[in-house]
Amino acid sequence: MRSLDDTARPVPSRAARLHLSRWPGYAAAAWGFLFAVPSFVWATGNTFGAQSTVSPSLVNLARDGVPWFLAVLVVTGVLKLFGALVGIGLTRPRGLRTSRLMVFCGAGAATLLTWHGGLFVVHGVLVETGAASVEPDLAALTGWYLYLWGPWFIAGGLAFAGATALYVRHRDDRRKLSLYSVVGTLGALILSVASTVTGIG
């Protein structure tokens, strides 16, 4: 039986619920745009902000203007911008074909980013507690990966996960879209495990 307080409390309209459900998508988009900036800046050879927070070997590649590495930075920046567009795409209803792509990419991004950030945090904790060791020139970077890069990747992963879940939830064809979410998650998980095992990425 409902109390008077329950009956008097206004129930959010569908429009209001949809508006609130868009925030994770906007957060994911902002994450992608912000994270794309360093990639493009470092691709110019300017290593501002990277000297003390990123592996020295990578900083040297950017500073020396190694072509293949600069290309990697540009491609990485473009992918981050694409991720931002996916975040925006998850804030509005789309046609079925576009929705499938948004959900697939959103779920994949959530898995990749959370996995990547989680590895940084776990490795950082192991090093800080003495359970693992790193080379002397990398020791100073442990804190940055533990307290900055790890949480940053996880935050992006959670934003994409929330945006994708809410997008599917408010769709009438959520059963079909859920399949693409699962496929995107599994594909990203397989890619993440493979890159970890082989040491690539």
Side-chain angles (χ1 to χ4, degrees), residues 13-119:
S13 65
R14 177 177 175 81
R17 291 196 299 271
L18 287 174
H19 179 72
L20 291 174
S21 70
R22 292 172 181 169
W23 284 108
Y26 290 132
W31 186 95
F33 281 122
L34 288 174
F35 204 25
V37 172
S39 294
F40 291 118
V41 171
W42 295 340
T44 66
N46 185 334
T47 56
F48 175 78
Q51 294 92 336
S52 60
T53 64
V54 178
S55 172
S57 61
L58 300 181
V59 174
N60 292 334
L61 289 173
R63 182 185 295 121
D64 296 340
V66 178
W68 70 264
F69 186 67
L70 298 185
V72 169
L73 288 174
V74 172
V75 171
T76 301
V78 171
L79 288 175
K80 293 171 183 176
L81 290 180
F82 176 74
L85 294 178
V86 170
I88 293 175
L90 290 170
T91 64
R92 294 288 191 279
R94 309 286 170 179
L96 180 58
R97 182 173 299 178
T98 303
S99 293
R100 289 171 177 173
L101 177 62
M102 294 295 103
V103 170
F104 176 83
C105 292
T111 304
L112 284 172
L113 295 174
T114 304
W115 174 277
H116 207 55
L119 287 181

Side-chain angles (χ1 to χ4, degrees), residues 9 49 85 87 94 105 117 152 157 175 178 186:
R9 187 178 302 145
L85 294 178
R94 309 286 170 179
C105 292
W152 174 256
R175 288 187 178 180
S178 295
L186 291 178

Side-chain angles (χ1 to χ4, degrees), residues 93-179:
R94 309 286 170 179
L96 180 58
R97 182 173 299 178
T98 303
S99 293
R100 289 171 177 173
L101 177 62
M102 294 295 103
V103 170
F104 176 83
C105 292
T111 304
L112 284 172
L113 295 174
T114 304
W115 174 277
H116 207 55
L119 287 181
F120 283 157
V121 171
V122 170
H123 183 260
V125 170
L126 292 176
V127 173
E128 291 290 318
T129 57
S133 60
V134 294
E135 297 179 7
D137 60 334
L138 298 178
L141 296 175
T142 300
W144 288 105
Y145 280 86
L146 173 58
Y147 300 113
L148 174 62
W149 296 122
W152 174 256
F153 275 95
I154 292 174
L158 293 178
F160 277 102
T164 304
L166 288 173
Y167 184 82
V168 172
R169 179 181 178 183
H170 291 291
R171 295 279 302 202
D172 293 331
D173 52 355
R174 52 182 170 270
R175 288 187 178 180
K176 293 181 180 179
L177 292 180
S178 295
L179 176 61

